[in-house]
Amino acid sequence: MSAGAVSRRGRARVVGLGWALGPPALLGVLFLGLPIAALAWRAGRTGALAEHATSAFVLDALRLSAITSTFTLLIAVIVGTPLAYLLARYRFPGKWLIDVLIDLPIVLPPTVAGVALLVTLGRRGIVGEQLDAAGIDIAFTTTAVVLAQTFVAAPFYIRTAKAGFESVDPSHERLAWTLGASPLRAFREVTLPLAWPSLLAGGILCWARALSELGATLIFAGSFQGRTQTMPLAIVGAFESGKSVEVPIALSVILVCAAAAMLVLLRLVTGGVSRDAHV
Amino acid sequence: MNLSVRSLRNAAAGLLLVAAMALAAACRGDGDSPSPTSTTAAPTAASAAARLDGELTVFAAASLTAAFKDVGAAFEDANSGVDVTFNFAGSPALRTQVEEGAPADVLALADNKNMQAALDKKLVAQAWRTFARNRLVIAVPSANPGEISAPVDLANGGLKLVLAQEDVPVGNYARESLGNMEADATFGAGFRDRVLANVVSNEPNVKAVVTKVQLGEADAGIVYATDITGDLKGTVTAIPIPDEFNVVATYPVSVVSDAKEPEIAAAFIDFLLSAAGQAILEEHGFTGAE
Amino acid sequence: MFSVDFTLRLGDFTLAPTFSGGDELIVLCGPSGSGKSLTLQSVAGIMRPDEGRIEVAGRALLDRAAGIDVPVQARRVGYVPQGQTMFPHMTAAQNVAFAVRPEDRDRRRAIVADLLEKTGLTGLEDRRPRQLSGGQQQRVALARALAADPRILLLDEPFSALDTALHGELRELIVSVQGARGIPVLIVTHDLGDAFSLGDRLIVFEAGRVLQQGSREDIFFRPATRRVAELVGARNILPMTVRGIGDGVVALDWAGREIAAAIYATHDAPPVATGQHVEASIRPTQIMIRRQGDTYEGRRNVFLATIASEIMGAEFYRLFVRIDGSPAAHDLEIELPAYTYFRLGLDRHKEIELSIRPEAVHIMHG
């Protein structure tokens, strides 16, 4: 049976270096897993989780995080997909510059991203000054949260989507054209399905990064319950308030659960897709 | 010039400290080193100073950052064997860190409330000592886009006000101060609520409030007088809050119960309260311990 | 009917093929990098020639002078690229259905079923590429190309990944498809055997140009130039001098020996003059080895020779023979069936008598 074949192959793979892999691997797993387990244990022990999970402070932050990260994902997909496809398929002067630009927010500390956004869209920023004159305020609004998240998180989607499009042999698209398909239909029915696992992975990476965004948001959007205070900001706020360390712990556990659920979903969906795909 | 004054002061502080240490050693003795050695070592100043060997970790409120760096340097000058390391953060965060077992020797906070909480949990060894006081001011960008000239302007419609969040000492003080104003007939009933309606962000610490004002994103913020120091003078203007409405922040300091270096910690606190230490704090805008 | 005459510049490489053909099997052959695949892609519309004209079934797909450049999706070409030919994320049926306009679902289903049946894929409808053999994938690609109801079929190296048995099957399928549809089928191949067995018409490419086009006999037996002869596998290319012309043959001097070459009325090669130095090719399979004691049919082109060396293949043997009295290591290469080799009792160093029909001696120019 196929299940047997898989497990036999799995065992065979470990035989190579054998048990020598055990200790360092275990250490790695412990190092990554223990802090998460400790958080959960601490929250479970005090029973604070249930109490805080339903407070307005937490619900507002959760709701705001869900809304802003979803909007961020939408913007990343709408703007990022054409850009990723362009970068994957076409060569043009200055392309390397765009590649570097897209990588930069991934490398930069989010605080720098926040400051960069401020000097651009802030009240005294090069664009913000005009907006301010026109009566449009961005700083300290939910829009600012989404912009901060998009700046920091969208590159993760664009990067992954670009790699996904690059992995699709352009000859498949051209072939589709010869068969009478318009470029749009070829993209929709050939390119998109073939790049889908990467697009999905990129989307979830982007969403997860947006969900955990703190530095840029704090600088550019400030922190106001229900308006700009997302989960990470609420955690920092709770920690700084010093009321009780159980509050930030409870918040952290909720955030960990949301992120973990999304990553598990990623595994399930991309696993399912790649099993169906070729090679 | 400044240098010579400081080095003189440091020398004086050093002498003072040596004396204090000798006294402390004589009175208390020492768990780690047997008292016979300490009594034999006490007579010479050099050997007394040499007894202060080690690394001192000071957890201090964010508003103390600049002042404590200078205090630390002076303390190190006076005690060549001592290395002072600082951890600056909001007072509640510091308390939480100590509660969770962070390795601190000295805990210096921006309000008594958090120190009382630390004492209740026996995180600090003994009753604290107040080493400095601070006052609140209204910080506005130098361009003053909100056109604020007095506290009463904080209630102007459409103003963008940034405060430190509640439970952070400066956040609490600011709200308390607004309450004081409301009680005064000239401000009128509901003044506090009208001002709080202008709040666009509740920052996790006072430095973040100053940054928002400095960048011109906020029209005003309520911060400590000590936060508007040399570097910021050009970009941020301080508008005073009259004494009758102001809330005076008191800065308590204590030795942490689990301190690895309780001797050095005690010496540091003594230095803080000495003339030399107080002079440095005043230089940074703090009011003396009294 | 179609005609191709365009110029496509890609960096240092210039592709400028000129050829035409009818509703038949046309094989594009030539060394790799000579522009065969690019020519197919230009007809398909994937490559965009800089100038020139491409016409299929009386319709200009490209005419730069007239400002015509029909978009790829409107060209109605059935293109099967080299290598990975199926859409990897679709089943066999989905691949074929992709090329049928989706207006009428029932009609689409009927067309797909019909094509899969004709290409021998019935029962494999729901298989994905990795569940199909290379030959089955090629047939899916062919069915898909036909589903678009093309005016011309373009097959790029259709046999490259197939073993011998599948190779034959697909060759038959292509021949029958051409017969049924009655459209031009352009096939790119580097395999001379395929070129000969499939091509009603052969187009020989080199370095972006068409060296010669014509029937398979023209190309294989009467290559216009030495280079074409080399490209189509002629191995006896011999320098000769014209001694005289007459009696339906050209009398040639071949290293002091006389050899006659037939003059073809149909062959539009330029005339040769006495004393002219030429090259002549003799295909290795066109040289007969006479059994000892056979009667003479004529006196022409008979030589005594010795087998100098041999290369044994599974079906065919290649003999390298030296004409008696010749100083060369060998003068001619002969290919013959293994069966004939043994029937004639041949062996290395054995003396043999060769006979070459004048029709097998082909004079080339340039």
Side-chain angles (χ1 to χ4, degrees), chain C residues 118-322:
Chain C
K118 279 187 177 134
T119 47
L121 293 165
T122 306
L124 306 177
E125 292 86 352
D126 296 328
R127 299 269 187 99
R128 287 177 188 277
R130 62 193 184 97
Q131 301 165 311
L132 294 169
S133 71
Q136 289 165 337
Q137 291 190 38
Q138 281 291 352
R139 280 185 278 158
V140 172
L142 187 61
R144 186 184 54 197
L146 292 170
D149 193 16
R151 295 288 173 260
I152 189 168
L153 210 50
L154 309 167
L155 314 177
D156 196 349
E157 296 280 8
F159 309 108
S160 60
L162 305 186
D163 61 40
T164 323
L166 294 171
H167 194 132
E169 271 177 36
L170 184 63
R171 198 154 58 189
E172 277 164 35
L173 180 62
I174 291 171
V175 171
S176 78
V177 159
Q178 197 281 323
R181 296 266 171 159
I183 55 173
V185 177
L186 266 60
I187 304 164
V188 163
T189 182
H190 65 275
D191 184 289
L192 291 174
D194 287 330
F196 192 83
S197 64
L198 264 177
D200 298 319
R201 189 173 170 78
L202 267 61
I203 318 290
V204 183
F205 273 72
E206 190 179 46
R209 296 187 169 272
V210 173
L211 293 184
Q212 190 179 356
Q213 55 180 310
S215 70
R216 85 185 70 170
E217 290 79 13
D218 279 346
I219 302 297
F220 273 82
F221 303 137
R222 295 182 288 281
T225 62
R226 181 197 170 106
R227 186 65 192 135
V228 173
E230 283 170 357
L231 290 175
V232 299
R235 284 192 290 275
N236 297 310
I237 297 172
L238 311 162
M240 297 181 184
T241 312
V242 178
R243 279 185 181 173
I245 304 160
D247 196 16
V249 295
V250 178
L252 296 160
D253 180 285
W254 171 30
R257 298 175 286 268
E258 182 167 310
I259 187 167
I263 299 173
Y264 282 88
T266 53
H267 195 203
D268 55 354
V272 288
T274 305
Q276 187 180 342
H277 296 289
V278 296
E279 279 180 320
S281 74
I282 305 167
R283 291 195 74 82
T285 50
Q286 301 278 314
I287 301 170
M288 282 179 288
I289 298 175
R290 298 170 62 109
R291 213 195 320 226
Q292 299 281 315
D294 273 7
T295 50
Y296 271 72
E297 285 160 19
R299 211 163 276 117
R300 273 187 188 133
N301 297 357
V302 175
F303 305 97
L304 287 174
T306 308
I307 299 173
S309 57
E310 306 163 330
I311 296 176
M312 311 297 192
E315 302 288 335
F316 289 89
Y317 283 11
R318 287 162 68 193
L319 309 179
F320 298 89
V321 303
R322 182 168 56 238

Side-chain angles (χ1 to χ4, degrees), chain A residues 172 174-175 177 185 189 278, chain C residues 46 73 87 89 98 144:
Chain A
H172 290 313
R174 294 199 284 257
L175 185 60
W177 303 342
R185 181 171 167 233
E189 293 184 25
H278 62 114
Chain C
I46 293 168
Q73 60 269 25
F87 294 129
H89 60 299
F98 185 88
R144 186 184 54 197

Side-chain angles (χ1 to χ4, degrees), chain B residues 6 65-75 86 271 280 283-284:
Chain B
R6 181 172 290 181
T65 306
F68 262 38
K69 277 182 183 163
D70 285 351
V71 172
F75 185 65
F86 289 108
F271 180 69
I280 297 173
E283 223 174 67
H284 283 275

